[in-house]
Amino acid sequence: MSVLVCGEMLYDVFVEGPRENGFALDARIGGSALNVATGLARLGRPVSQLTGVSTDLFGQRLASHLESENVGTAFLKRTAAPTTFAVVAPGPDGSPTYTFYGGEEAADRQVETTDLPPLDGIDTLVFGCFSLVTRPTSESFLALARRAKGRDPAPLVVLDPNVRRSFEPSAAVWRQRIAHFAAFADIVKTSREDLSETYETPPETVVSGWLEQGIAAVIVTDGPRGAVMHTAGRSVAVAAPRVEVVDTVGAGDSFLAALLTALADRGMTTAAGVAALDEAQCRAVLAFAVQAAGVTCTRRGADLPRRTDLPAL
């Protein structure tokens, strides 16, 4: 059984500095969904990605990257549409802000319902970031989530909003789209920053609402303060490891990949299994996830760890 990660892949572009005729740029392969897929593969989970990818030079490199990382590419939609770029400006604490280039015609926005794959052999579906708000891709992904919940047994549906207000500035749009996907989700992984910037109610109220509607687990990350897993029966917190931060690009994606890997290691790939996690299991899963995120923070860009990187931490 494998994971299908649904969402964009792009280039994170770092501005190295001015040069005589412009700027020196450092373009790194990225995109939230690609990062999660790569992180899962590096941790040993079978995984594929579903998105649109350009046939241009940049898209070809993205697809070959997935292949080199052992991420399945059978579900990629090849299109002549352009590749998305995100110019990254790290803040003083390493937290990035993004400016997106690609426009409405970008390749990652071109997934139609006719491009959706069968769900046979897939035990986990992951949705998130700006693919929640682009059309037609977001509507196609929502149809896939709805289809998943109608199966028996149903794949685990995971939502990671990963809100990008620089991409879609309206908090109301994000709230609406998150609600649409959360209606089919078993796990929501988010950050305290995203909750605070997107919702007009306290983060604790938002979390309680998701649990009340039947979501099995809500995980809230909080940067250097670690993460908390909330289920109907308990809330369990773990601290983040202390590391020398280069930047935090991909840290949340690394956290999610490690979280899903740790759950799979324990056979917890159903909503019922996740809901039944006891305190020790919650703590172990979170500890593995924050360790993985910590490793990513020590590297430039979204360079996610392998299993062999984690014990050394």
Side-chain angles (χ1 to χ4, degrees):
M1 302 295 283
S2 65
V3 183
L4 179 60
V5 181
C6 306
E8 69 278 353
M9 50 185 181
L10 46 77
Y11 287 86
D12 291 322
V13 180
F14 296 83
V15 180
E16 297 277 280
R19 53 194 305 178
E20 183 178 356
N21 297 315
F23 289 93
L25 304 177
D26 178 14
R28 302 288 181 103
I29 287 171
S32 180
L34 178 143
N35 295 339
V36 173
T38 300
L40 284 162
R42 289 185 177 186
L43 294 172
R45 270 290 260 150
V47 58
S48 297
Q49 185 166 353
L50 169 63
T51 190
V53 61
S54 180
T55 53
D56 67 16
L57 174 67
F58 303 107
Q60 292 176 40
R61 179 69 182 89
L62 290 171
S64 65
H65 169 81
L66 291 185
E67 292 170 351
S68 70
E69 293 284 355
N70 295 315
V71 176
T73 59
F75 304 135
L76 296 180
K77 177 180 181 176
R78 315 281 177 151
T79 170
T83 300
T84 298
F85 286 78
V87 175
V88 183
D93 63 351
S95 299
T97 58
Y98 300 89
T99 304
F100 292 91
Y101 297 87
E104 293 298 323
E105 301 305 316
D108 48 65
R109 309 182 199 193
Q110 307 306 316
V111 179
E112 305 277 357
T113 54
T114 53
D115 300 313
L116 299 177
L119 292 173
D120 299 330
I122 294 170
D123 63 28
T124 304
L125 282 168
V126 181
F127 302 96
C129 205
F130 68 68
S131 289
L132 300 182
V133 300
T134 59
R135 286 179 168 83
T137 293
S138 65
E139 294 300 330
S140 301
F141 286 173
L142 190 61
L144 187 63
R146 184 181 296 111
R147 183 192 302 173
K149 295 305 288 185
R151 291 174 63 88
D152 186 20
L156 190 70
V157 176
V158 181
L159 173 61
D160 178 13
N162 208 354
V163 173
R164 295 285 182 259
R165 293 284 292 276
S166 57
F167 182 89
E168 167 51 65
S170 171
V173 169
W174 281 104
R175 290 195 297 270
Q176 180 188 61
R177 299 306 291 168
I178 291 168
H180 289 166
F181 279 87
F184 303 103
D186 302 305
I187 294 176
V188 175
K189 174 261 167 188
T190 187
S191 69
R192 177 165 286 274
E193 179 181 12
D194 277 354
L195 290 174
S196 298
E197 293 185 357
T198 307
Y199 291 88
E200 297 170 349
T201 54
E204 293 74 17
T205 303
V206 180
V207 171
S208 296
W210 282 333
L211 294 174
E212 288 170 4
Q213 75 179 54
I215 291 173
V218 179
I219 299 95
V220 181
T221 61
D222 196 11
R225 286 164 290 281
V228 184
M229 180 183 289
H230 304 275
T231 67
R234 58 185 48 84
S235 293
V236 179
V238 298
R242 301 181 72 133
V243 298
E244 291 292 325
V245 175
V246 174
D247 64 50
T248 64
V249 176
D253 305 323
S254 182
F255 179 97
L256 180 58
L259 178 88
L260 296 178
T261 300
L263 289 173
D265 286 351
R266 289 158 177 78
M268 302 297 185
T269 55
T270 65
V274 172
L277 289 168
D278 62 29
E279 182 173 348
Q281 290 170 323
C282 290
R283 196 172 304 283
V285 166
L286 287 177
F288 187 70
V290 297
Q291 288 176 355
V295 170
T296 303
C297 290
T298 66
R299 302 169 174 178
R300 183 170 195 181
D303 184 2
L304 282 66
R306 304 178 189 277
R307 291 233 186 204
T308 52
D309 294 322
L310 296 177
L313 184 66

